[in-house]
Amino acid sequence: MSSARFDGHRGTEMSDKPDVKYAGFWVRAGATALDLLLFLLVAVPLLYAIHGRGYLQSDVSDRGLVDFLNMVVLPNLVVPLLWVLCGATPGKLAVSAKIVDAQTGKKPTLRQCLIRLAGYYLSAIPFGLGFIWIAVDRRKQGLHDKLAGTIVIRTR
């Protein structure tokens, strides 16, 4: 992949700009943990309200379509929408990080966000190596970032 440029400054490589700081593995892991906690704080009470007291004791295969929509489909719609609109999920915003186009430094496009989401699944196989790569990459990109042409930067 070619070197990125930032904010349209022709000839200035992103890695040469001293004011750009990439969000590393642990910052991003913390943001993901915050996102998961927030999701569970919303999803579990909602599903408990729908399914009743036995929800948490019931077998996963018995929970039905509403559970599947809430736990699988909804996150796969909301997350890329947040990336497009805000450049970040709530967890990334909390740690002052945002996703940007690696070439321009602007918000990622819908296409990039959808590729990035698909790349999440590829990053998890095998053994999460696509995510672990963030720790060793020069620009702190995971496989999903490389596929989508995005980077995650610190905003303060």
Side-chain angles (χ1 to χ4, degrees):
M1 181 171 256
S2 64
S3 296
R5 292 195 168 94
F6 188 64
D7 286 338
H9 297 304
R10 296 187 91 73
T12 304
E13 299 296 328
M14 185 154 195
S15 59
D16 294 335
K17 292 192 66 63
D19 57 333
V20 174
K21 182 171 170 85
Y22 301 109
F25 178 82
W26 291 112
V27 168
R28 293 170 69 171
T32 300
L34 289 172
D35 286 332
L36 180 60
L37 179 62
L38 179 62
F39 175 71
L40 291 174
L41 288 173
V42 172
V44 171
L46 177 64
L47 290 171
Y48 184 80
I50 292 168
H51 295 287
R53 295 182 72 162
Y55 172 71
L56 294 176
Q57 288 84 26
S58 66
D59 187 57
V60 172
S61 62
D62 294 336
R63 293 186 182 162
L65 180 63
V66 174
D67 186 68
F68 176 77
L69 291 173
N70 193 37
M71 300 301 277
V72 177
V73 175
L74 186 61
N76 283 292
L77 294 174
V78 171
V79 168
L81 182 64
L82 287 170
W83 290 343
V84 168
L85 296 176
C86 306
T89 57
K92 279 191 178 54
L93 292 173
V95 299
S96 300
K98 70 177 182 175
I99 302 159
V100 297
D101 179 273
Q103 297 268 336
T104 65
K106 296 180 180 173
K107 283 184 184 177
T109 64
L110 177 60
R111 180 177 185 274
Q112 285 177 299
C113 292
L114 293 175
I115 291 169
R116 193 171 193 276
L117 180 66
Y120 263 38
Y121 295 100
L122 294 174
S123 290
I125 306 168
F127 312 114
L129 290 177
F131 295 114
I132 294 169
W133 188 254
I134 295 166
V136 297
D137 186 74
R138 177 177 62 87
R139 295 192 305 165
K140 307 300 181 194
Q141 288 179 295
L143 175 62
H144 53 290
D145 292 308
K146 291 186 180 293
L147 292 172
T150 58
I151 55 172
V152 180
I153 61 170
R154 298 299 299 266
T155 57
R156 66 171 144 125

